Amino acid sequence: MVKTDTKGIWKVISASSMGTLIEWYDFYIFGSLAVVISTKFFPSGNPTAAFLSTLATFAAGFVVRPFGALFFGRLGDLIGRKYTFMATLLLMGGATFLIGCIPSYETIGFVAPLLVLVLRLLQGLALGGEYGGAATYVAEHAPAHQRGYWTSWIQTTATAGLFVSLMVILATRSLLSEEAFDTWGWRVPFWISIIMVYVSYLIRKRMNESPEFEKAKAEGKTSKNPLKESFGHKYNLKFVLLALFGATMGQGVVWYTGQFYAMSFMKTVMNLESSQVDTLLGIALVMGTPFFVFFGWLSDKIGRKSIMITGMLLAVLLYRPLYKTMYETADVSNKTVAKTESSTDLDREKNISTATFHYSFTDGSKATKIISTDLNKMPFAPETKSTIIMVSPNDKWLLVFLVWVQVLFVTMVYGPIAAFLVELFPTRIRYTSMSLPYHVGNGIFGGLLPAISTYLVTNAKENGDPEFYLEGLWYPIIVASLSMVIGIIYLDHKKRN
């Protein structure tokens, strides 16, 4: 008999979504504050190397997510969904809070980045166990023919978590002076997480176990060895691999390009002012988030595969023109200077001269460039230390639109995927089987994207490539293309359970 009753499902979704949103918030404040963190936990002197080290530490959290998926997925199939994702919530919250307490590199040296790395790994393990539990829990409460719609609410939490992290950072910046935020204020978003985690823990504590798992348990049909059943049997392993290479691998790179790489690109390649980037990205996320639900609902009507494949295809075809337009929009060499102001400061102790230039452009954009010259070295070689650009209101809305288009691709590949994965595996091994391809696809292929793409851009720039800023896109384009081809050939529309 087909289950059609949705009574009480909003309570299930609210409790699941709240915890998942907070875990994503915890996970992403590190990436959102990567530029600041790189100056606190890594040696100063080479900002590019420090930023790449921070991205590598950020990526480490993604790399261990599959191990968290195996560990907590197994627990979820053995003892139940509820208690497993309560444990992941507490682990995530504790690790995030402690990152905000670590002394800087100047105070404790190399122990600082080491501690950050350890806590980042714990965050990754926790998140590896969280998503599969939440998606499975909601899907097992939903009618089978509406799983796309109901699980799509869980899919909004990753973007919502990123949005909340940006808003908390923006609010903290606005309440503190720039100096105070740089000195200690960046720690506040990490500390706030412990309050949200505690509230979410209390909500989850009152939830009941999934009805499908309870039924399987009462009938003695739960798995004795979920890992062996999931990956030791050829038939099930085939679907694990298909889910990874035909869906989550491509979905992962589209997700991280459309949201995280877009943010990193605007801050470090386009040199846009950090608060302006957070604001315009936040607007694009708010405008794009309802489409997770729309495409989840649509996947119940026309199937999951066609929507996800279309999202990957559009991303592959349009990434380069989108990013080319973004870069050129903020490129001040294309703008006309209306006014220039400058000042010079001399550090007599170090014998270093610093010149600061403030430019106003006819379209309303502004830029600040700081050039440093070491007077101890002959001949003098002025070096640009930083460039910060504030685009005009018109250009800002153009950038919002260009990021929103990328978020739309994200909603197409990500909105239906929870239902797609749930329907691929039976109840007895669902938590374990769906968690691994999801977290390898997102954690490995997607999570490494910011570090790999930033490296490709940096390398191309050093080699004098005039379109260096587009080089980082080859990684998501190639990975999404491969996933799309595999998905078109090997995935079908059949539900296996």
Side-chain angles (χ1 to χ4, degrees):
M1 183 178 174
V2 177
K3 181 182 175 183
T4 57
D5 182 20
T6 58
K7 184 181 178 182
I9 196 168
W10 279 113
K11 185 179 174 185
V12 170
I13 289 174
S14 301
S16 302
S17 300
M18 177 65 75
T20 311
L21 184 152
I22 291 169
E23 290 219 28
W24 283 114
Y25 164 85
D26 286 353
F27 201 68
Y28 285 125
I29 51 176
F30 190 95
S32 302
L33 290 168
V35 176
V36 179
I37 288 173
S38 67
T39 65
K40 305 301 173 191
F41 295 131
F42 295 92
S44 58
N46 188 334
T48 303
F51 184 62
L52 284 172
S53 299
T54 306
L55 289 181
T57 307
F58 181 61
F62 290 90
V63 173
V64 297
R65 275 169 57 177
F67 298 101
L70 292 176
F71 180 77
F72 289 107
R74 177 178 174 276
L75 276 183
D77 282 330
L78 286 174
I79 66 171
R81 289 46 167 138
K82 173 185 170 180
Y83 291 106
T84 304
F85 66 17
M86 280 174 66
T88 64
L89 182 69
L90 294 177
L91 182 62
M92 174 64 91
T96 304
F97 176 77
L98 290 175
I99 287 178
C101 301
I102 297 175
S104 67
Y105 179 87
E106 283 186 359
T107 308
I108 59 173
F110 281 101
V111 178
L114 186 64
L115 287 175
V116 172
L117 178 63
V118 169
L119 292 171
R120 185 68 190 157
L121 293 176
L122 289 177
Q123 281 188 317
L125 285 173
L127 194 60
E130 166 66 23
Y131 174 80
T136 300
Y137 190 77
V138 172
E140 290 178 349
H141 280 84
H145 63 291
Q146 295 177 357
R147 279 177 174 157
Y149 171 70
W150 292 110
T151 56
S152 67
W153 291 95
I154 287 289
Q155 301 306 92
T156 66
T157 58
T159 298
L162 177 57
F163 174 78
V164 173
S165 74
L166 293 174
M167 293 305 104
V168 170
I169 292 167
L170 264 178
T172 310
R173 281 184 187 277
S174 65
L175 292 172
L176 298 174
S177 67
E178 191 174 334
E179 185 182 6
F181 184 85
D182 187 65
T183 306
W184 60 270
W186 61 271
R187 297 178 185 272
V188 173
F190 289 94
W191 295 338
I192 287 176
S193 112
I194 200 72
I195 302 169
M196 296 195 288
V197 166
Y198 180 67
V199 172
S200 183
Y201 169 78
L202 293 179
I203 295 172
R204 282 192 172 184
K205 195 177 173 184
R206 299 191 184 97
M207 293 163 62
N208 296 318
E209 185 53 87
S210 145
E212 285 192 28
F213 182 83
E214 284 287 343
K215 183 171 180 288
K217 190 176 179 181
E219 294 172 351
K221 293 181 178 176
T222 53
S223 175
K224 302 290 186 222
N225 191 338
L227 291 177
K228 185 179 179 182
E229 282 194 48
S230 294
F231 312 116
H233 293 177
K234 277 188 179 179
Y235 182 71
N236 198 69
L237 181 62
K238 182 183 82 172
F239 286 94
V240 170
L241 295 176
L242 274 179
L244 169 59
F245 294 111
T248 59
M249 180 175 76
Q251 170 261 304
V253 294
V254 172
W255 199 98
Y256 283 95
T257 303
Q259 299 184 152
F260 240 91
Y261 184 63
M263 177 174 67
S264 171
F265 183 84
M266 287 187 284
K267 288 184 179 179
T268 60
V269 180
M270 293 166 61
N271 295 316
L272 290 190
E273 197 271 333
S274 183
S275 295
Q276 188 172 47
V277 172
D278 292 345
T279 304
L280 70 88
L281 184 60
I283 295 170
L285 292 179
V286 169
M287 290 167 59
T289 297
F291 287 91
F292 284 109
V293 180
F294 171 74
F295 286 117
W297 168 83
L298 190 62
S299 73
D300 288 329
K301 310 295 179 186
I302 66 172
R304 328 279 186 215
K305 174 182 170 180
S306 54
I307 296 173
M308 293 191 294
I309 295 294
T310 304
M312 289 185 213
L313 177 64
L314 290 173
V316 167
L317 294 177
L318 296 177
Y319 271 158
R320 284 180 68 89
L322 283 171
Y323 275 81
K324 186 176 177 64
T325 308
M326 285 170 66
Y327 185 83
E328 291 176 347
T329 299
D331 186 359
V332 292
S333 65
N334 295 330
K335 301 178 187 294
T336 303
V337 177
K339 183 181 177 184
T340 304
E341 294 177 351
S342 63
S343 60
T344 305
D345 183 46
L346 178 62
D347 185 337
R348 296 184 184 279
E349 188 175 333
K350 296 180 180 178
N351 206 25
I352 292 177
S353 170
T354 302
T356 303
F357 297 89
H358 299 282
Y359 301 98
S360 298
F361 299 91
T362 52
D363 71 343
S365 299
K366 295 180 179 178
T368 301
K369 181 180 279 190
I370 298 176
I371 298 176
S372 178
T373 306
D374 189 343
L375 303 178
N376 299 300
K377 297 178 181 177
M378 294 293 286
F380 297 145
E383 181 184 359
T384 301
K385 302 301 287 185
S386 70
T387 302
I388 298 175
I389 299 169
M390 286 279 286
V391 293
S392 66
N394 286 342
D395 286 347
K396 175 185 165 184
W397 284 108
L398 175 59
L399 290 174
V400 168
F401 172 75
L402 295 171
V403 175
W404 174 78
V405 172
Q406 295 176 62
V407 176
L408 204 59
F409 302 157
V410 172
T411 61
M412 294 180 77
V413 298
Y414 198 62
I417 205 159
F420 168 80
L421 292 173
V422 164
E423 290 166 351
L424 213 53
F425 304 104
T427 306
R428 57 191 282 116
I429 54 172
R430 181 174 288 153
Y431 200 151
T432 307
S433 295
M434 73 164 283
S435 291
L436 187 69
Y438 174 82
H439 286 293
V440 172
N442 283 270
I444 305 295
F445 289 99
L448 293 179
L449 188 147
I452 292 175
S453 294
T454 301
Y455 169 76
L456 291 174
V457 169
T458 305
N459 192 49
K461 188 175 183 180
E462 289 175 354
N463 290 327
D465 185 341
E467 291 195 328
F468 67 92
Y469 54 90
L470 296 177
E471 292 303 295
L473 295 171
W474 284 119
Y475 176 72
I477 287 174
I478 291 171
V479 173
S481 297
L482 287 173
S483 186
M484 183 178 66
V485 171
I486 294 170
I488 290 172
I489 297 173
Y490 294 107
L491 291 181
D492 58 35
H493 294 281
K494 294 176 183 175
K495 300 173 184 176
R496 291 182 58 228
N497 53 89

